Amino acid sequence: GNSVTQMEGPVTLSEEAFLTINCTYTATGYPSLFWYVQYPGEGLQLLLKATKADDKGSNKGFEATYRKETTSFHLEKGSVQVSDSAVYFCALSDRIQGAQKLVFGQGTRLTINP
Amino acid sequence: DGGITQSPKYLFRKEGQNVTLSCEQNLNHDAMYWYRQDPGQGLRLIYYSQIVNDFQKGDIAEGYSVSREKKESFPLTVTSAQKNPTAFYLCASSIAARGGETQYFGPGTRLLVL
């Protein structure tokens, strides 16, 4: 079945450092890809998405490019802030009985120190 | 403001008790979903509904039940048959369930067993 593998955390960086969180996927067909962010005690918020190969999703300084040849969707940010501390989930859309479900990676906890 | 509300924020269940988690959305979305999140893991799909009066089992439906009598409401009952119910439960909705649509999440309900 379809699956998502994320870089294991936790990841700890200093403020203004460059961030990469790796995400690779296994899928039949061409799923849409998503990054969600979860702040402590809260639900998930969509960070960015890409719906086809070579699309780049971007939001709040974060970027990810849908790479079909390497089946990857790595999350990057050039200069992180303390407020970026959260858990980040990579996900793909999968089809079940004509409907859509999201398949999630295990999440990567990010901590940014001042 | 449009969004998804979940209540209660915390819920305590005694052994052998059924409990119901509420999920309401005012986004006029057709599709709604319930996910379970365990510590250090991604989200797993419990049930989903593409339209009123219709719902389907997800990957881990055993011990749970749902109803979809109104478009805006999708309550989840955790029955006594669910032997390990302690988790964070997240409700989500999307415009439709065809594929690629963004799912929007509520703030979650944390269920604890007494």
Side-chain angles (χ1 to χ4, degrees):
Chain A
N2 294 350
S3 65
V4 174
T5 302
Q6 278 182 244
M7 160 181 187
E8 282 200 28
V11 173
T12 302
L13 296 172
S14 297
E15 205 166 21
E16 298 183 4
F18 183 86
L19 168 71
T20 300
I21 300 178
N22 290 338
C23 171
T24 57
Y25 66 91
T26 302
T28 53
Y30 305 98
S32 295
L33 301 173
F34 304 82
W35 276 101
Y36 280 87
V37 59
Q38 185 178 35
Y39 298 101
E42 298 184 10
L44 274 66
Q45 301 175 25
L46 177 69
L47 183 58
L48 52 85
K49 66 185 274 190
T51 57
K52 60 183 187 296
D54 300 324
D55 267 2
K56 178 188 282 188
S58 62
N59 185 26
K60 299 181 181 178
F62 291 90
E63 292 183 341
T65 301
Y66 191 146
R67 301 282 187 204
K68 181 169 167 289
E69 63 276 11
T70 54
T71 61
S72 65
F73 193 54
H74 304 321
L75 182 68
E76 296 182 336
K77 186 174 185 182
S79 176
V80 292
Q81 306 300 314
V82 172
S83 58
D84 294 327
S85 298
V87 180
Y88 292 81
F89 291 93
C90 185
L92 63 79
S93 64
D94 195 2
R95 302 277 301 174
I96 42 169
Q97 300 175 341
Q100 178 206 213
K101 76 167 185 178
L102 290 177
V103 176
F104 287 87
Q106 77 273 27
T108 302
R109 182 175 299 278
L110 174 66
T111 300
I112 308 299
N113 294 321
Chain B
D1 280 344
I4 302 175
T5 57
Q6 290 186 243
S7 61
K9 189 174 173 108
Y10 296 95
L11 186 57
F12 298 91
R13 192 191 91 163
K14 296 179 182 177
E15 292 289 337
Q17 186 181 39
N18 292 352
V19 292
T20 298
L21 285 62
S22 169
C23 176
E24 304 276 332
Q25 54 98 359
N26 61 4
L27 300 167
N28 200 32
H29 286 172
D30 283 323
M32 296 187 75
Y33 313 81
W34 274 105
Y35 292 90
R36 169 180 171 140
Q37 185 180 22
D38 292 285
Q41 296 187 33
L43 282 66
R44 293 181 289 168
L45 183 66
I46 305 172
Y47 268 97
Y48 64 99
S49 168
Q50 298 182 68
I51 199 165
V52 174
N53 292 323
D54 181 65
F55 50 83
Q56 306 293 333
K57 293 181 179 180
D59 298 321
I60 55 165
E62 186 174 351
Y64 300 96
S65 66
V66 294
S67 63
R68 186 86 187 276
E69 297 175 2
K70 298 186 295 183
K71 186 175 184 176
E72 58 271 21
S73 179
F74 191 41
L76 173 75
T77 296
V78 183
T79 74
S80 57
Q82 173 49 245
K83 298 306 179 189
N84 184 25
T86 297
F88 192 47
Y89 290 87
L90 288 158
C91 179
S93 70
S94 63
I95 292 175
R98 287 187 296 270
E101 289 91 2
T102 299
Q103 290 186 19
Y104 296 89
F105 285 80
T109 291
R110 190 166 298 280
L111 177 61
L112 300 164
V113 177
L114 295 177

